[in-house]
Amino acid sequence: MSSEKIILGIDPGTTIMGFGLIKVVGNTMRFLQLNELQLSKYDDHYLKLKLIFERTVELIDTYHPDEIAIEAPFFGKNVQSMLKLGRAQGVAMAAGLSREVPVTEYSPKKIKMAITGNGNASKEQVAKMLQSLLKLKKLPKNLDSTDGLAAAVCHFYNLGKKDIVGKSYTGWAAFVKQNEGRVKK
């Protein structure tokens, strides 16, 4: 592990995309930023995807993260919601890969477990633990941004543990190699 690195965490969504950044120096993490991209005011799903891509690229170009941690979509009953979330995640991943930033995805349970020790913790419990860990003065109204920050912190806790990390891609070639069944030839 290098002595200094920036990790961008993303909680993809088509209503709100939450994100957070931490700086890792040695074995210590330091809070940089958390925020959200509000997408609810847009009706066009494709415009939302474009905005997710552009904002992710903007974050990469501004903060120069060394790695991206992204929350994988949870499996729900509504297929249309799952499709939309999967697209939002894919667009955020594509933005990172387009800038050659390695992307690792974590399940929501794994993120919650890493932050609170409980894979079934609530958003509020995760946010309060992050507030304590990173000495945040106050929490945002919407907790999507703390979910993005939680992905970054989860990644920090899993650095160097490649055997238990979620799916990880270092570029398009790695993505294609790990997903050969999904690629048309």
Side-chain angles (χ1 to χ4, degrees), residues 93 97 101-105 167-171 174-175 178-179:
M93 290 170 71
L97 295 171
V101 180
V103 177
T104 304
E105 54 182 320
K167 292 181 183 174
S168 184
Y169 310 109
T170 55
F175 178 83
Q178 292 179 30
N179 294 279

Side-chain angles (χ1 to χ4, degrees), residues 8-10 67-72 89 93 97 101-107 110-111 151 155 158-159 162 164-170:
L8 167 62
I10 298 175
E67 298 181 26
I68 296 173
I70 192 163
E71 182 174 312
Q89 181 200 28
M93 290 170 71
L97 295 171
V101 180
V103 177
T104 304
E105 54 182 320
Y106 295 94
S107 71
K110 184 168 182 79
I111 293 171
H155 190 65
N158 284 284
L159 288 173
K162 292 293 181 195
I164 61 167
V165 169
K167 292 181 183 174
S168 184
Y169 310 109
T170 55

Side-chain angles (χ1 to χ4, degrees), residues 114-180:
I115 306 303
T116 68
N118 175 2
N120 295 315
S122 69
K123 281 181 171 276
E124 292 78 15
Q125 288 170 317
V126 171
K128 283 289 190 190
M129 185 60 82
L130 288 171
Q131 185 176 29
S132 174
L133 285 169
L134 297 168
K135 298 173 183 29
L136 304 176
K137 288 182 176 36
K138 71 179 219 178
L139 292 172
K141 187 177 91 172
N142 294 322
L143 299 180
D144 298 273
S145 54
T146 54
D147 286 350
L149 184 62
V153 172
C154 173
H155 190 65
F156 165 73
Y157 288 144
N158 284 284
L159 288 173
K161 300 177 185 172
K162 292 293 181 195
D163 56 326
I164 61 167
V165 169
K167 292 181 183 174
S168 184
Y169 310 109
T170 55
W172 286 114
F175 178 83
V176 169
K177 186 174 181 180
Q178 292 179 30
N179 294 279
E180 288 176 351

Side-chain angles (χ1 to χ4, degrees), residues 18 36 56 61 64 68 89 113 117-118 127 167:
E36 59 195 30
T56 304
D61 291 348
H64 308 287
I68 296 173
Q89 181 200 28
M113 180 65 89
N118 175 2
K167 292 181 183 174

